[in-house]
Amino acid sequence: EEWASLRQLLRSVAPYCHPSNAGGYCLEVGTLLQALSRFCFWRVLMEARRSSAPARPTLGANDVRALVRMLEPLVTQARYSKHRLLPRMAETSYKYLSRLAPELTLPTLEMRVAEGLQTVTAVHQTSVALSSLCMLVPVLLTLCPTEALPLPFGPGKPPASSLLSLARGPAVMRTLLELALPGIDPNDPTKMLLTLLAFGVLLQHLPLAGPVWTAEASSRRSASPPPSNE
């Protein structure tokens, strides 16, 4: 009964997520989408890290995927809204959904970002694609996907489909970054700023040294003679 009520609520909200709608209700719609995804993420994360038996039934994998399937189409549409705040709230919601079920969200988002970066006439789609690229970087370049996914399968046991989606991350990110390079255009300051921001986020998450390099550097320092004080 609760799931039926939620589906009915989201069906009634769906027309207001259309990119052509930019009324005063967009803030409430964005708050709803963001709250549903955020609190689901928090609840799953707390339940996955809880050691004692919970006082209430936990969210199962099917529950999480059902919620993601209901929210993903609405959030995707809301990202292209002409409202000032709704696209940002939709991106925040998509960030949580991509953590909850990457196999249901990342392939579609990657395709839309690639299309937006290659479009010539739809300038609005390019801006949304560059903004989404910034949001994708932490997910696609995560170094510890097993620990980063707060899925209700017990610690360290995400499904193989989720790990497969994340394993494709570096290759997908390389393709998207190559498509984003033409965005460094002095004739379009806004697009250039978004492009440089995406590359800045990339450099923040890109490791400068891996554990193997760290071990080799430590062994070399220990093997080298100490500097003389002459």
Side-chain angles (χ1 to χ4, degrees), residues 186-211:
N187 295 321
D188 192 339
T190 301
K191 183 171 67 174
M192 183 173 66
L193 178 62
L194 290 173
T195 304
L196 294 177
L197 179 61
F199 280 90
V201 174
L202 169 69
L203 293 176
Q204 290 177 357
H205 289 82
L206 196 65
L208 299 179

Side-chain angles (χ1 to χ4, degrees), residues 65-173:
R65 290 193 177 93
L67 181 61
V68 171
R69 287 192 179 97
M70 286 189 287
L71 289 176
E72 195 272 338
L74 305 184
V75 174
T76 298
Q77 280 194 332
R79 287 174 50 245
Y80 296 94
S81 173
K82 298 177 182 178
H83 190 264
R84 183 172 59 92
L85 296 178
L86 181 56
R88 299 179 185 178
M89 302 176 80
E91 282 195 0
T92 302
S93 177
Y94 216 111
K95 178 181 67 175
Y96 291 116
L97 297 181
S98 65
R99 290 289 190 180
L100 289 169
E103 71 278 10
L104 299 179
T105 54
L106 291 184
T108 302
L109 185 60
E110 292 162 3
M111 180 186 65
R112 290 185 178 274
V113 170
E115 292 176 351
L117 293 176
Q118 296 179 83
T119 186
V120 178
T121 56
V123 181
H124 181 60
Q125 291 188 20
T126 304
S127 301
V128 174
L130 289 171
S131 182
S132 300
L133 184 60
C134 297
M135 182 264 295
L136 271 175
V137 168
V139 181
L140 294 182
L141 294 185
T142 177
L143 298 181
C144 302
T146 301
E147 298 178 1
L149 291 176
L151 293 173
F153 295 91
K157 295 182 180 179
S161 56
S162 297
L163 293 179
L164 182 61
S165 299
L166 292 176
R168 296 174 53 250
V172 172
M173 182 56 61

